[in-house]
Amino acid sequence: MKYYFYKNLFFKVYAEIEAGRVRMKTSGLAAPLLKPMVSEMLDIFDNVKPSMIEDDRLIISTWMPPVPSTAFDRLVASQIRAMRGKMVPEQVTISVTEECPNKCIHCALPDTKNKAKLAPAVVKDVIDQSLGMGTTLIIFDGGEPLVYDGLEDLIRYVDTNRAATMMFTSGVGLTAERAMSLKNAGLYAVSVSLDSANEEGHDFMRGRAGVYRDAISAIKNCLDAGMLVNIYVVISPRNVDELDDFYALAREMGVHELSFYEIVPTGRWINHETEIFSPEDFEKLDDFVKRADETEGPRVFSIPHVMKTTGCFAGRKWLHVTPEGDVLPCACIPIPFGNVHKDTLKKVWKTIRKDPVYNADSCLMRNMEFRQSHLGNVKK
């Protein structure tokens, strides 16, 4: 089976599955000339373990639209533009509400008294603007997005010919009925957060007893509803020794992907300088990723590893909108460049792209000099 990424009369780019892995190939009269020009993009997808293989489509990752699809065609086009230095916000995360039943000790949102949320009309306008700029993944976030009235209407509003939809959730209230409702609304993937592979550790980080059981139930319900499911782990020195436990749980439950994002000093975690990743922690993660890649089970997506190749995504591939409407380079950088209640996303994006800081080789919030100069919150 060939899964075409691009094709015309003279040049074709496609994937085939060999021994359970994606193998990128080209053909056509123009292939000898054009293949070197797209080799960087081919390398992104080649030899990876996909999230799901079906007869008529290939899901490389829950973070990408399926192949083939017009949404994926748009992603390929954005990758080609990026090679020419023309960046677009491929992923836009919209925190629709600050309301949440949990009190996570590492929450990136600021603690405010008004429990802000975005009006549906504002969210739809953000969606329209994002799609117009070339976005191919719209993520609904919070707080807890499941407490937002009309969430399914917002999911349904996204043109699936242009972008896939994902939701970040703690799983609270994600019953079997709600999972089917989200599926019917067109939700492409669900990303359920886990901070520990055991109940006690997860509930402690989330500040509420029972949230681990909520998360596990949500995963089961979403899988039963036929949705793509990703377990999302904010990895820190507190849970880095649970990597194999996370993988065993993900494999046992049958999820499609297990993603890791390293904890950074932001939000409620802003002053935890001693609890961010050390070189030794990275060695543990690196060893785990290599072993998991060779093990039967779900795809592992390690954002720290990807950033070593691509650089920091903030303001280059990512854009984030807060419940107050502030537009940030990413959810972890609390620096507003505008507000959707008065600024267009295109204007904000141009402003960010003019700042050379947002072409960093690694996560900016891990950079003490950046935080000192831009936030002034680094302990001396």
Side-chain angles (χ1 to χ4, degrees):
M1 179 70 184
K2 294 180 179 179
Y3 301 92
Y4 284 96
F5 284 45
Y6 176 84
K7 62 179 177 178
N8 62 29
L9 289 174
F10 306 103
F11 184 54
K12 297 178 177 64
V13 179
Y14 60 94
E16 290 185 335
I17 304 301
E18 299 177 2
R21 307 185 79 84
V22 174
R23 299 294 182 179
M24 297 302 301
K25 299 182 180 182
T26 61
S27 64
L29 292 173
L33 175 65
L34 296 180
K35 184 177 180 179
M37 299 172 61
V38 297
S39 60
E40 184 177 334
M41 185 179 68
L42 297 180
D43 290 343
I44 295 174
F45 303 111
D46 191 47
N47 198 34
V48 301
K49 182 195 295 185
S51 292
M52 179 184 286
I53 303 168
E54 297 180 325
D55 290 339
D56 59 344
R57 67 176 188 168
L58 171 66
I59 310 294
I60 293 178
S61 170
T62 59
W63 299 82
M64 295 179 187
V67 184
S69 67
T70 53
F72 189 82
D73 293 344
R74 281 164 50 90
L75 177 60
V76 171
S78 72
Q79 295 289 326
I80 293 173
R81 287 196 295 270
M83 292 177 189
R84 302 197 301 264
K86 297 180 180 180
M87 314 297 291
V88 302
E90 297 171 8
Q91 174 182 306
V92 173
T93 306
I94 309 171
S95 286
V96 292
T97 181
E98 193 177 328
E99 292 185 21
C100 183
N102 307 311
K103 289 292 290 184
C104 305
I105 64 177
H106 59 340
C107 182
L109 272 179
D111 289 311
T112 63
K113 296 180 180 179
N114 62 345
K115 295 302 179 187
K117 61 181 178 181
L118 294 169
V122 174
V123 178
K124 290 179 179 180
D125 185 50
V126 169
I127 291 170
D128 286 337
Q129 292 185 61
S130 301
L131 296 179
M133 294 172 67
T135 298
T136 52
L137 181 62
I138 301 285
I139 299 177
F140 296 99
D141 194 8
E144 174 50 68
L146 286 170
V147 305
Y148 185 93
D149 290 335
L151 177 63
E152 279 86 345
D153 289 337
L154 298 180
I155 294 168
R156 196 176 291 111
Y157 186 78
V158 178
D159 183 354
T160 56
N161 287 319
R162 304 170 77 185
T165 53
M166 179 188 276
M167 178 183 69
F168 284 164
T169 179
S170 65
V172 178
L174 218 172
T175 62
E177 293 76 16
R178 191 69 192 276
M180 189 57 66
S181 175
L182 294 165
K183 168 71 173 179
N184 291 337
L187 189 63
Y188 175 70
V190 175
S191 189
V192 180
S193 299
L194 281 181
D195 295 308
S196 174
N198 66 76
E199 184 172 356
E200 181 181 1
H202 180 71
D203 286 0
F204 171 79
M205 289 293 289
R206 295 276 151 171
R208 185 176 67 83
V211 69
Y212 177 85
R213 293 192 296 273
D214 289 338
I216 297 301
S217 177
I219 291 169
K220 292 178 179 177
N221 291 334
C222 289
L223 288 170
D224 289 343
M227 277 190 286
L228 292 170
V229 179
N230 169 59
I231 290 179
Y232 184 78
V233 179
V234 176
I235 191 167
S236 73
R238 296 190 179 200
N239 61 12
V240 70
D241 291 322
E242 295 184 55
L243 293 171
D244 289 298
D245 296 328
F246 280 119
Y247 196 75
L249 177 64
R251 182 171 53 194
E252 177 185 345
M253 297 199 72
V255 303
H256 303 92
E257 195 156 12
L258 174 62
S259 298
F260 294 99
Y261 185 79
E262 64 174 299
I263 201 163
V264 295
T266 191
R268 294 176 188 159
W269 204 258
I270 194 69
N271 291 317
H272 286 249
E273 284 296 325
T274 61
E275 293 197 61
I276 60 175
F277 251 37
S278 67
E280 292 75 22
D281 292 327
F282 272 112
E283 288 182 8
K284 292 179 181 179
L285 179 60
D286 188 56
D287 174 69
F288 164 76
V289 169
K290 291 176 181 175
R291 287 187 289 105
D293 189 55
E294 298 171 355
T295 303
E296 183 178 350
R299 168 185 164 88
V300 169
F301 180 55
S302 171
I303 296 175
H305 278 79
V306 175
M307 284 188 178
K308 286 183 179 181
T309 302
T310 64
C312 184
F313 294 149
R316 291 177 64 249
K317 294 179 179 291
W318 288 353
L319 206 58
H320 180 80
V321 180
T322 73
E324 291 81 10
D326 288 334
V327 185
L328 316 179
C330 87
C332 294
I333 300 180
I335 303 175
F337 277 79
N339 188 288
V340 297
H341 296 295
K342 59 185 178 65
D343 303 305
T344 65
L345 284 186
K346 184 176 289 187
K347 176 184 176 183
V348 175
W349 183 253
K350 286 182 177 179
T351 302
I352 295 174
R353 293 306 308 143
K354 288 179 181 177
D355 190 333
V357 166
Y358 296 98
N359 291 300
D361 293 333
S362 58
C363 175
L364 285 165
M365 287 300 287
R366 282 180 54 83
N367 185 314
M368 188 175 295
E369 183 178 339
F370 171 83
R371 297 202 314 279
Q372 182 67 69
S373 61
H374 288 75
L375 303 174
N377 58 19
V378 176
K379 291 181 179 180
K380 295 183 178 179

